[in-house]
Amino acid sequence: MGGTSADAVDSFQVIRRRAMDASTDNASPASGRMRRFIYFYVTAAMGASMALFLATAWLHLDFPPRVMVWLIPGVMPVAVAALRVALEDRQRVLEEPAGWMRWAIGGALLFGLWAGIYFLIGRIIDPTRVRFLSSALESGIPLVPSYSFLYILLYPIFLLPFFAVKDRTSYQRLVAADLLMFAVCSIFFVAYPVAYDRPPLPPPPHDIGTWTLGLIWGNDPAWNCLPSEHCTAAMIAALATWEADRRRGLFAMAAALLIGVSTLFTKQHYLVDVVAGYSVAVAIHWSLRWSRAFEPGAAGSVPRAVNRLIRP
């Protein structure tokens, strides 16, 4: 009798979770506009960084760093996002999920966790343990500091899917994918630390590309190379965005691939790091897609510690 009662309770919980996932509880117009604004801000910041790459690498233009620090992450994307929201169809705004703000906070916390783990490992690794891989192929790739503007695309693209996913199940899979990425990459970084022997920067005066790359090199350890967590995180974000919105997903996928290219031209990674990073991302993404743990109503099959983190 006790077993039958427990089964009935479990069945009720499953039905309840499925109802929650299938619900059409949407955000208010003001909340929906806020989410769309942040979404457009993130994509516009990515577009501005790509445009700066084209202007410096192809047109050989240069800009004062202090001006660009205000324009690229500030004035330009804010203006574009405000215009896009003003022109946005009202029905599209009303389709945004009500729980998006909790998901956004979760994404920000994950971003901080990822950065903390990455730099902590960079500090504790003994430099005498690091390995340098054969760089015959990489030696033929020139150092082009302007590619640093594509390299930093990772930071906005990491957050992009948290403003693109439309349901709790997709959000849970995204969080689980990021957590798995942290674990897998960290194990490799500690067990088999690989470093890149960076060449010297061009002599001063530095253009804005060299100035930006100098900031990256000054804060990023030369190890934590294999696999490229830059590529892993970017591809996980792109795949999650693709599932939510095919058109935006194409943009995210292109950005993820450009990030991989940038790691070679900024001398941050070997080609094998890039391939390994993308491979880890694809493996994690599809493993979670095929898993029944994240089907609506099946949250109970997710390990409790992880489930507490991913439940909005």
Side-chain angles (χ1 to χ4, degrees), residues 155-179:
Y155 309 118
I157 200 177
F158 183 98
L159 297 172
L160 181 63
F162 291 96
F163 299 98
V165 295
K166 299 296 192 297
D167 58 82
R168 187 179 67 173
T169 300
S170 298
Y171 166 76
Q172 290 178 330
R173 272 201 304 265
L174 173 60
V175 174
D178 282 335
L179 291 173

Side-chain angles (χ1 to χ4, degrees), residues 19-51:
M20 290 175 65
D21 273 328
S23 68
T24 55
D25 187 18
N26 294 332
S28 66
S31 179
R33 288 192 185 92
M34 183 184 296
R35 192 190 198 212
R36 296 300 289 169
F37 176 85
I38 299 174
Y39 178 82
F40 287 133
Y41 169 83
V42 173
T43 55
M46 294 171 63
S49 192
M50 292 177 181

